[in-house]
Amino acid sequence: MAQWQILFLFSLIFLIDSTSHASVSDFCAANLKGPDSPLGYTCKKPAGVTVSDFVFSGLAKGGNTTNIISVTPAFVAQFPGVNGLGISMARLDLAPGGVIPFHTHPGASEVLVVTRGIIKAGDIMVFPQGLLHFQVNVAKIHSNAFVSFSSTSPSLQILDFALFANDLPSELVMQTTFLQLATIKKLKGVLGGTG
């Protein structure tokens, strides 16, 4: 057999094998009472699945921005139908001057679609998994956006809490951030850190 024929045969076998892992079930609505794992929740028994597992209306109404920002998630905990699909969404509502502080999503990439704000409606931004990013509403109007994640539970790590709501020695935080010791102690006091 010629080398190209072996390569062709190997490629064909690989292609067939890679497409044969289709799901054996049509859906896997999350059983939120069951255990959660890196692969998601266990599936509800088909008899227990309802339409509400696959329809989520929580993103239609704007959130309460009396605290400057509101994030309304449509993650697996709120929307069991996304279980195992590797996708979720959320709605962001920001009052004028509202800020979503520096943060990352260690478990997902994010696509943000602006629907109202200083950036034109329909503009989109992408934040790769783990990228440090933030949002600020510099408009004089309420702004909102919808975000899509590449995970059913994208996780969130807010930088301020990671740096200052911990028990690391303040001197170590000072060395790694170039901030003044007094500033670090003040921020640790506000955010509940010690050390």
Side-chain angles (χ1 to χ4, degrees), residues 105-186:
H105 302 285
S109 294
E110 173 182 352
V111 175
L112 182 146
V113 181
V114 175
T115 53
R116 184 173 186 220
I118 198 110
I119 299 175
K120 292 183 293 212
D123 283 354
I124 64 172
M125 294 173 262
V126 64
F127 305 103
Q129 180 176 343
L131 180 73
L132 190 61
H133 62 285
F134 63 93
Q135 286 88 25
V136 177
N137 181 9
V138 296
K140 296 189 184 323
I141 60 169
H142 280 74
S143 297
N144 61 298
F146 290 90
V147 294
S148 177
F149 295 100
S150 64
S151 171
T152 57
S153 298
S155 67
L156 172 71
Q157 184 173 37
I158 297 175
L159 180 64
D160 297 347
F161 293 117
L163 288 173
F164 307 112
N166 60 52
D167 298 330
L168 292 173
S170 295
E171 292 76 16
L172 178 62
V173 177
M174 181 179 72
Q175 287 178 307
T176 60
T177 62
F178 304 112
L179 294 173
Q180 298 290 326
L181 186 59
T183 302
I184 292 167
K185 287 184 176 186
K186 182 177 179 181

Side-chain angles (χ1 to χ4, degrees), residues 68-124:
I68 311 284
I69 65 166
S70 172
V71 178
T72 307
F75 302 159
V76 70
Q78 297 81 24
F79 192 18
V82 300
N83 189 49
L85 299 179
I87 56 172
S88 62
M89 293 189 70
R91 177 184 174 130
L92 308 178
D93 291 282
L94 288 89
V99 175
I100 297 177
F102 274 110
H103 65 281
T104 67
H105 302 285
S109 294
E110 173 182 352
V111 175
L112 182 146
V113 181
V114 175
T115 53
R116 184 173 186 220
I118 198 110
I119 299 175
K120 292 183 293 212
D123 283 354
I124 64 172

Side-chain angles (χ1 to χ4, degrees), residues 37-57:
S37 76
L39 298 175
Y41 285 91
T42 56
C43 302
K44 281 185 175 181
K45 292 187 187 304
V49 175
T50 66
V51 170
S52 63
D53 290 323
F54 298 96
V55 177
F56 181 75
S57 301

